[in-house]
Amino acid sequence: MDEDARPAELQALGTEECYRLLATQQIGRLGVNAENYPLIFPVNYALDGQVIVMRMDAGTKLAAADHANVTFEVDVIDQRTRSGWSVLVRGLAEEVTSGHRAQLIERTKASGVEPWAPGEHGRWVRLIPHAVTGRRIVPGRLPPAFGPGAYL
Amino acid sequence: MDEDARPAELQALGTEECYRLLATQQIGRLGVNAENYPLIFPVNYALDGQVIVMRMDAGTKLAAADHANVTFEVDVIDQRTRSGWSVLVRGLAEEVTSGHRAQLIERTKASGVEPWAPGEHGRWVRLIPHAVTGRRIVPGRLPPAFGPGAYL
């Protein structure tokens, strides 16, 4: 390897930076406890401020997520440079139903998220964050042209 | 949209296909229950047959994963065509220690997985599958040139 090698570096990301990164992506992974496992489902999403809005059908995933502690993970990782970032949101998931305030229902739908997977995904779910953490692996051993900005 | 539009299609993947897909990637997401949440951590991995081999440090993640029900999720999703695949492995995670058979230790290390993140990641962890499921979203509304093979 390069004689001028720098080691890779792990940086913690602030909350603001985490949300800025979340806004750049459309697919994340929902973590819910169900069937004795911490299940992970890829899902597309949109942001309503700091709330993550998703669509899903009325199956196991929604039943397990509704009013439960869930997580939502988003990452962008470059296998070539072995660098990238990941953000993990911990929060409470809640299905938006007709019992909610009209204003909340409107805001949720205005996020514009549409289900990609075929089938019924009529239910709207909001993930209200309790905490957001993130980290970035800054590549070592690479010239400045492949600096941390390259994988945004 | 195209008048000849086909709807997107969701296909369940067989076990063999799931492992074939897992072998094409290097980064997945480990799901572990810790701190009252189903936490999700991106991690690089290698396969030893059907066992997933990972490296990690001696922190919260390892403590929560060792001898516990965990999951491992890998996906490749194309935002442009809104299609792709995901595989979810449910299993038991176990740290490989000097108490294990020498042959198992050798096989594990022979998988060649190296930690990408900086810092101490000296511990070896094997995830022994209980069940593997996967699905593929075949894009609709696209000509054959962008068929399901395009995102492998």
mmCIF file of all heavy atoms in Angstrom, chain B residues 62-82:
data_model
loop_
_atom_site.group_PDB
_atom_site.id
_atom_site.type_symbol
_atom_site.label_atom_id
_atom_site.label_comp_id
_atom_site.label_asym_id
_atom_site.label_seq_id
_atom_site.Cartn_x
_atom_site.Cartn_y
_atom_site.Cartn_z
ATOM 1 N N LEU B 62 -21.419 -6.677 20.618
ATOM 2 C CA LEU B 62 -21.021 -8.071 20.808
ATOM 3 C C LEU B 62 -21.702 -8.666 22.034
ATOM 4 O O LEU B 62 -22.216 -9.792 21.994
ATOM 5 C CB LEU B 62 -19.498 -8.186 20.947
ATOM 6 C CG LEU B 62 -18.972 -9.594 21.227
ATOM 7 C CD1 LEU B 62 -19.380 -10.565 20.122
ATOM 8 C CD2 LEU B 62 -17.444 -9.585 21.359
ATOM 9 N N ALA B 63 -21.756 -7.908 23.109
ATOM 10 C CA ALA B 63 -22.378 -8.407 24.339
ATOM 11 C C ALA B 63 -23.847 -8.760 24.089
ATOM 12 O O ALA B 63 -24.355 -9.763 24.576
ATOM 13 C CB ALA B 63 -22.261 -7.369 25.449
ATOM 14 N N ALA B 64 -24.519 -7.933 23.293
ATOM 15 C CA ALA B 64 -25.937 -8.166 23.017
ATOM 16 C C ALA B 64 -26.141 -9.312 22.033
ATOM 17 O O ALA B 64 -27.145 -10.015 22.077
ATOM 18 C CB ALA B 64 -26.576 -6.890 22.471
ATOM 19 N N ALA B 65 -25.189 -9.492 21.127
ATOM 20 C CA ALA B 65 -25.364 -10.489 20.068
ATOM 21 C C ALA B 65 -25.001 -11.894 20.521
ATOM 22 O O ALA B 65 -25.619 -12.875 20.089
ATOM 23 C CB ALA B 65 -24.511 -10.109 18.852
ATOM 24 N N ASP B 66 -24.000 -12.001 21.395
ATOM 25 C CA ASP B 66 -23.438 -13.319 21.715
ATOM 26 C C ASP B 66 -24.483 -14.234 22.354
ATOM 27 O O ASP B 66 -25.080 -13.904 23.368
ATOM 28 C CB ASP B 66 -22.228 -13.147 22.654
ATOM 29 C CG ASP B 66 -21.387 -14.418 22.735
ATOM 30 O OD1 ASP B 66 -21.416 -15.215 21.778
ATOM 31 O OD2 ASP B 66 -20.718 -14.594 23.771
ATOM 32 N N HIS B 67 -24.690 -15.383 21.744
ATOM 33 C CA HIS B 67 -25.666 -16.379 22.197
ATOM 34 C C HIS B 67 -27.095 -15.848 22.223
ATOM 35 O O HIS B 67 -27.919 -16.299 23.020
ATOM 36 C CB HIS B 67 -25.285 -16.945 23.569
ATOM 37 C CG HIS B 67 -24.061 -17.782 23.506
ATOM 38 N ND1 HIS B 67 -22.841 -17.347 23.947
ATOM 39 C CD2 HIS B 67 -23.840 -19.014 22.977
ATOM 40 C CE1 HIS B 67 -21.936 -18.293 23.722
ATOM 41 N NE2 HIS B 67 -22.500 -19.299 23.120
ATOM 42 N N ALA B 68 -27.377 -14.918 21.359
ATOM 43 C CA ALA B 68 -28.733 -14.364 21.284
ATOM 44 C C ALA B 68 -29.291 -14.553 19.876
ATOM 45 O O ALA B 68 -28.546 -14.768 18.919
ATOM 46 C CB ALA B 68 -28.712 -12.878 21.637
ATOM 47 N N ASN B 69 -30.615 -14.478 19.785
ATOM 48 C CA ASN B 69 -31.281 -14.452 18.484
ATOM 49 C C ASN B 69 -30.989 -13.120 17.802
ATOM 50 O O ASN B 69 -31.307 -12.056 18.342
ATOM 51 C CB ASN B 69 -32.799 -14.578 18.667
ATOM 52 C CG ASN B 69 -33.256 -16.018 18.749
ATOM 53 O OD1 ASN B 69 -32.435 -16.940 18.761
ATOM 54 N ND2 ASN B 69 -34.554 -16.217 18.801
ATOM 55 N N VAL B 70 -30.397 -13.190 16.643
ATOM 56 C CA VAL B 70 -30.077 -11.969 15.894
ATOM 57 C C VAL B 70 -30.563 -12.137 14.459
ATOM 58 O O VAL B 70 -30.992 -13.218 14.057
ATOM 59 C CB VAL B 70 -28.553 -11.685 15.893
ATOM 60 C CG1 VAL B 70 -28.010 -11.563 17.312
ATOM 61 C CG2 VAL B 70 -27.807 -12.753 15.115
ATOM 62 N N THR B 71 -30.480 -11.061 13.709
ATOM 63 C CA THR B 71 -30.791 -11.133 12.278
ATOM 64 C C THR B 71 -29.662 -10.478 11.505
ATOM 65 O O THR B 71 -28.861 -9.707 12.066
ATOM 66 C CB THR B 71 -32.109 -10.416 11.931
ATOM 67 O OG1 THR B 71 -32.044 -9.075 12.420
ATOM 68 C CG2 THR B 71 -33.309 -11.131 12.528
ATOM 69 N N PHE B 72 -29.620 -10.793 10.222
ATOM 70 C CA PHE B 72 -28.633 -10.187 9.347
ATOM 71 C C PHE B 72 -29.330 -9.904 8.022
ATOM 72 O O PHE B 72 -29.905 -10.802 7.404
ATOM 73 C CB PHE B 72 -27.450 -11.135 9.150
ATOM 74 C CG PHE B 72 -26.256 -10.468 8.531
ATOM 75 C CD1 PHE B 72 -25.486 -9.593 9.269
ATOM 76 C CD2 PHE B 72 -25.914 -10.702 7.208
ATOM 77 C CE1 PHE B 72 -24.389 -8.955 8.702
ATOM 78 C CE2 PHE B 72 -24.821 -10.081 6.635
ATOM 79 C CZ PHE B 72 -24.059 -9.203 7.385
ATOM 80 N N GLU B 73 -29.318 -8.655 7.616
ATOM 81 C CA GLU B 73 -30.053 -8.244 6.422
ATOM 82 C C GLU B 73 -29.088 -7.707 5.382
ATOM 83 O O GLU B 73 -28.178 -6.931 5.702
ATOM 84 C CB GLU B 73 -31.066 -7.155 6.795
ATOM 85 C CG GLU B 73 -32.053 -6.809 5.707
ATOM 86 C CD GLU B 73 -31.637 -5.649 4.819
ATOM 87 O OE1 GLU B 73 -30.615 -4.980 5.122
ATOM 88 O OE2 GLU B 73 -32.327 -5.403 3.821
ATOM 89 N N VAL B 74 -29.283 -8.124 4.139
ATOM 90 C CA VAL B 74 -28.503 -7.606 3.020
ATOM 91 C C VAL B 74 -29.477 -7.229 1.921
ATOM 92 O O VAL B 74 -30.451 -7.950 1.681
ATOM 93 C CB VAL B 74 -27.494 -8.662 2.513
ATOM 94 C CG1 VAL B 74 -26.700 -8.119 1.336
ATOM 95 C CG2 VAL B 74 -26.561 -9.092 3.625
ATOM 96 N N ASP B 75 -29.258 -6.097 1.301
ATOM 97 C CA ASP B 75 -30.121 -5.728 0.181
ATOM 98 C C ASP B 75 -29.335 -4.977 -0.875
ATOM 99 O O ASP B 75 -28.282 -4.405 -0.592
ATOM 100 C CB ASP B 75 -31.330 -4.906 0.640
ATOM 101 C CG ASP B 75 -30.948 -3.587 1.279
ATOM 102 O OD1 ASP B 75 -30.261 -2.781 0.637
ATOM 103 O OD2 ASP B 75 -31.353 -3.344 2.439
ATOM 104 N N VAL B 76 -29.839 -5.018 -2.084
ATOM 105 C CA VAL B 76 -29.351 -4.181 -3.179
ATOM 106 C C VAL B 76 -30.596 -3.613 -3.837
ATOM 107 O O VAL B 76 -31.410 -4.355 -4.392
ATOM 108 C CB VAL B 76 -28.534 -4.984 -4.206
ATOM 109 C CG1 VAL B 76 -28.203 -4.118 -5.420
ATOM 110 C CG2 VAL B 76 -27.241 -5.497 -3.578
ATOM 111 N N ILE B 77 -30.766 -2.307 -3.720
ATOM 112 C CA ILE B 77 -31.982 -1.672 -4.219
ATOM 113 C C ILE B 77 -31.611 -0.512 -5.125
ATOM 114 O O ILE B 77 -30.774 0.318 -4.776
ATOM 115 C CB ILE B 77 -32.866 -1.201 -3.040
ATOM 116 C CG1 ILE B 77 -33.333 -2.444 -2.251
ATOM 117 C CG2 ILE B 77 -34.070 -0.409 -3.547
ATOM 118 C CD1 ILE B 77 -33.970 -2.135 -0.936
ATOM 119 N N ASP B 78 -32.190 -0.496 -6.297
ATOM 120 C CA ASP B 78 -31.910 0.545 -7.285
ATOM 121 C C ASP B 78 -33.012 1.595 -7.188
ATOM 122 O O ASP B 78 -34.167 1.340 -7.509
ATOM 123 C CB ASP B 78 -31.883 -0.097 -8.676
ATOM 124 C CG ASP B 78 -31.520 0.914 -9.757
ATOM 125 O OD1 ASP B 78 -31.767 2.120 -9.570
ATOM 126 O OD2 ASP B 78 -30.999 0.486 -10.794
ATOM 127 N N GLN B 79 -32.621 2.797 -6.720
ATOM 128 C CA GLN B 79 -33.631 3.843 -6.527
ATOM 129 C C GLN B 79 -34.231 4.297 -7.842
ATOM 130 O O GLN B 79 -35.372 4.749 -7.893
ATOM 131 C CB GLN B 79 -33.012 5.041 -5.795
ATOM 132 C CG GLN B 79 -32.452 4.654 -4.431
ATOM 133 C CD GLN B 79 -32.263 5.832 -3.489
ATOM 134 O OE1 GLN B 79 -32.611 6.962 -3.814
ATOM 135 N NE2 GLN B 79 -31.738 5.570 -2.319
ATOM 136 N N ARG B 80 -33.454 4.156 -8.934
ATOM 137 C CA ARG B 80 -33.940 4.638 -10.216
ATOM 138 C C ARG B 80 -35.084 3.762 -10.743
ATOM 139 O O ARG B 80 -36.123 4.252 -11.143
ATOM 140 C CB ARG B 80 -32.782 4.670 -11.229
ATOM 141 C CG ARG B 80 -33.093 5.354 -12.551
ATOM 142 C CD ARG B 80 -31.861 5.340 -13.458
ATOM 143 N NE ARG B 80 -31.350 3.981 -13.628
ATOM 144 C CZ ARG B 80 -31.830 3.091 -14.513
ATOM 145 N NH1 ARG B 80 -32.810 3.428 -15.311
ATOM 146 N NH2 ARG B 80 -31.317 1.877 -14.594
ATOM 147 N N THR B 81 -34.851 2.437 -10.679
ATOM 148 C CA THR B 81 -35.876 1.524 -11.196
ATOM 149 C C THR B 81 -36.836 1.070 -10.100
ATOM 150 O O THR B 81 -37.784 0.343 -10.365
ATOM 151 C CB THR B 81 -35.230 0.260 -11.816
ATOM 152 O OG1 THR B 81 -34.460 -0.405 -10.807
ATOM 153 C CG2 THR B 81 -34.312 0.629 -12.976
ATOM 154 N N ARG B 82 -36.549 1.495 -8.859
ATOM 155 C CA ARG B 82 -37.373 1.083 -7.728
ATOM 156 C C ARG B 82 -37.516 -0.433 -7.672
ATOM 157 O O ARG B 82 -38.631 -0.975 -7.554
ATOM 158 C CB ARG B 82 -38.746 1.739 -7.795
ATOM 159 C CG ARG B 82 -38.648 3.250 -7.677
ATOM 160 C CD ARG B 82 -39.981 3.895 -7.524
ATOM 161 N NE ARG B 82 -39.829 5.305 -7.191
ATOM 162 C CZ ARG B 82 -40.830 6.092 -6.806
ATOM 163 N NH1 ARG B 82 -42.052 5.596 -6.717
ATOM 164 N NH2 ARG B 82 -40.615 7.343 -6.524
#
